[in-house]
Amino acid sequence: MAITALITGLLLICSCNQNEPAIQNEPVLNEDDSAGHSVELLYMGQGSLRIVTETEKVIYIDPYAGEYSLAADLILVTHEHFDHNAIERVKNRQPDCRIIRSQNAVIDGRHHTFELGYVRVEAVEAGFNRYHDVRHCVGYVLTFTNGQKVYVSGDTSITDQMSEMSEMHIDYAFLCTDGVYNMGNDEAARAAEMIGARHNIPYHNSTTGNGEMFSLDAAERFAARNKLIIRPGETITIE
């Protein structure tokens, strides 16, 4: 009787296991497989951004404000002012981390594009004021594998190229609005109208000199259509 009961129990266990789904190992994520992942953008303050792509590549733009704990795959610098080029703060880097500075992105007046697999980085004009020379400053348009495009103006006034940028179909535009060294709110609103992005985000808008990395009051006075305010430390999904 005991042997018969044991055999019956084993048969029941086998029968139950056949009805359960098989346990599968997690798939290895590669640059062509971004299912279930999204692009996450953290505003760090001043002109500094961190982006984590669908394939978990980490991009820092104009490092200066915030913390840099995630290992960098790519560092972008729009120009060589101290509040944009503090790459020494990014101590944690992947072995193949790439750094693209303005001198790599604009050479003899020609703006370059970098195809990196997980992101396409297109340098665009920046400068056009007494503090920022168009020969040594750039903005960047980043296109991710989900098709979304993010424009980071860097330090600039309205540029000649902005009249053509509506053809890029940008989704998120970060526009400097400090009003002293670059565009103020009114000029940046005109730039936003020219560029025609789905979302217009004021950043690099504080000139107090007391360590403030963002002015909410100035951001609220930015009158562009489709305005999106992001405070330092806030993350948005690029979708």
Side-chain angles (χ1 to χ4, degrees):
M1 292 289 293
I3 295 175
T4 302
L6 178 61
I7 293 172
T8 302
L10 290 173
L11 290 172
L12 287 172
I13 291 171
C14 292
S15 175
C16 290
N17 286 344
Q18 287 174 356
N19 293 327
E20 293 177 358
I23 298 174
Q24 298 179 349
N25 294 325
E26 289 293 325
V28 176
L29 187 66
N30 57 52
E31 292 179 5
D32 297 323
D33 182 8
S34 59
H37 292 256
S38 56
V39 180
E40 301 293 334
L41 184 151
L42 169 68
Y43 177 44
M44 305 173 75
Q46 193 69 348
S48 304
L49 305 174
R50 186 193 75 197
I51 299 172
V52 180
T53 73
E54 305 100 317
T55 54
E56 300 184 332
K57 298 290 188 180
V58 176
I59 304 170
Y60 291 110
I61 304 175
D62 283 353
Y64 172 68
E67 300 297 328
Y68 297 85
S69 56
L70 298 185
D73 293 280
L74 174 64
I75 302 171
L76 300 176
V77 176
T78 61
H79 64 292
E80 296 301 328
H81 285 171
F82 74 94
D83 57 337
H84 294 262
N85 72 346
I87 61 174
E88 71 279 358
R89 296 204 60 195
V90 190
K91 295 180 171 59
N92 191 9
R93 307 177 192 178
Q94 299 290 357
D96 59 349
C97 176
R98 184 162 182 179
I99 300 172
I100 299 175
R101 310 177 85 114
S102 54
Q103 59 262 42
N104 312 124
V106 58
I107 301 173
D108 295 330
R110 181 186 173 195
H111 291 74
H112 291 265
T113 296
F114 305 86
E115 300 282 359
L116 303 179
Y118 56 93
V119 68
R120 180 177 189 260
V121 179
E122 182 176 355
V124 295
E125 288 181 341
F128 286 81
N129 61 50
R130 62 181 292 192
Y131 301 101
H132 300 94
D133 190 325
V134 67
R135 297 172 299 175
H136 307 298
C137 300
V138 297
Y140 293 110
V141 176
L142 289 78
T143 305
F144 301 97
T145 58
N146 65 0
Q148 295 289 299
K149 294 185 178 184
V150 173
Y151 165 55
V152 181
S153 73
D155 281 7
T156 192
S157 297
I158 285 178
T159 72
D160 293 341
Q161 191 177 4
M162 285 180 182
S163 62
E164 305 169 357
M165 289 179 66
S166 62
E167 299 176 3
M168 294 182 172
H169 304 292
I170 290 166
D171 297 288
Y172 297 81
F174 283 80
L175 299 165
C176 59
T177 61
D178 65 66
V180 176
Y181 305 104
N182 302 289
M183 300 184 289
N185 277 332
D186 291 343
E187 185 179 3
R190 294 197 303 274
E193 192 70 22
M194 298 167 71
I195 294 165
R198 285 200 299 126
H199 304 283
N200 293 300
I201 304 162
Y203 85 139
H204 197 293
N205 66 358
S206 177
T207 58
T208 61
N210 63 1
E212 183 182 44
M213 298 294 179
F214 181 74
S215 169
L216 180 58
D217 177 65
E220 290 175 340
R221 288 186 278 106
F222 179 52
R225 292 188 294 178
N226 304 317
K227 178 173 71 174
L228 174 62
I229 293 178
I230 307 174
R231 297 170 177 83
E234 291 184 343
T235 299
I236 61 170
T237 299
I238 301 300
E239 58 185 4

